[in-house]
Amino acid sequence: MADHATLSTPKTGNALTGERVDLLAELAQARYFLRFTVRELSDEQLALRPTSSELCLGGLIKHVSAVERGWADFIVQGRSAMKDFEDMTEEDFARRADEFRMLPGDTLADILAAYAEAAAHTDQIVATAPDLDAVHELPAAPWSQETHWTVRRVLLHIIAETAQHAGHADIIREAIDGAKTMG
């Protein structure tokens, strides 16, 4: 894990300091716990749903990866990167549902590689965003009454989403074979 005082950006090698380092360090830690949860599992185990939930470990990582890509695109493109909830099609909802499950041909290696790619992309955006206070209009969604978020708020949302799903993953992993992410 990176030193919390400075961090080299993935593509430029320039040193970051302060708030960006802290945001990226917190996100890196949440990502680590999510990835660590699936250590030494088979692709079949990754697809198991041992709780009453529909969630599986592979699906959680796929979902977090897709969410991170979407919000990273939002930081760069603004509102045009996302549809309003009411404008989503059946195909959009089906694609979203597929994020939460292992599909034929999905493998742990491929899922983790896609997640690493999404993470590197987000990290680069955080490192190069001109202003964490820049504001974008949010797409309309029934779960939020907010209309605008700063880049900083988007990053905090990515961190929270990753940490929340890392916790879900820990419960699922423990139900599969008793292994724990922490403790």
Side-chain angles (χ1 to χ4, degrees), residues 6-174:
T6 62
L7 183 74
S8 288
T9 62
K11 292 186 180 176
T12 66
N14 295 336
L16 292 178
T17 59
E19 182 179 19
R20 291 175 198 246
V21 171
D22 290 340
L23 290 167
L24 289 173
E26 191 66 24
L27 182 53
Q29 183 175 12
R31 288 175 183 147
Y32 168 79
F33 286 128
L34 182 58
R35 287 189 317 269
F36 185 70
T37 301
V38 298
R39 70 197 178 282
E40 302 171 3
L41 289 180
S42 68
D43 294 338
E44 293 75 24
Q45 288 173 307
L46 214 59
L48 293 174
R49 297 185 325 226
T51 67
S52 59
S53 168
E54 291 290 319
L55 298 176
C56 69
L57 292 171
L60 280 172
I61 295 174
K62 286 173 58 176
H63 171 68
V64 170
S65 184
V67 165
E68 188 165 327
R69 275 192 309 273
W71 284 110
D73 289 345
F74 178 82
I75 289 171
V76 174
Q77 300 168 24
R79 188 158 181 337
S80 66
M82 295 180 169
K83 290 183 177 182
D84 286 339
F85 184 80
E86 64 188 29
D87 294 334
M88 290 180 66
T89 65
E90 285 185 36
E91 183 179 289
D92 293 327
F93 286 112
R95 189 173 31 257
R96 181 176 158 83
D98 285 347
E99 291 173 8
F100 286 96
R101 58 180 155 250
M102 293 286 287
L103 300 175
D106 282 346
T107 66
L108 176 58
D110 290 343
I111 290 169
L112 289 176
Y115 188 35
E117 186 178 307
H121 180 64
T122 301
D123 290 352
Q124 186 62 30
I125 288 170
V126 172
T128 60
D131 184 4
L132 297 181
D133 290 321
V135 176
H136 294 300
E137 180 183 2
L138 290 167
W143 51 82
S144 176
Q145 301 306 309
E146 296 178 77
T147 60
H148 294 79
W149 275 359
T150 63
V151 170
R152 179 182 298 99
R153 177 65 194 274
V154 172
L155 295 171
L156 292 169
H157 178 71
I158 293 169
I159 294 165
E161 180 90 7
T162 304
Q164 177 180 1
H165 289 311
H168 293 145
D170 192 34
I171 291 167
I172 294 169
R173 176 62 190 259
E174 190 171 354

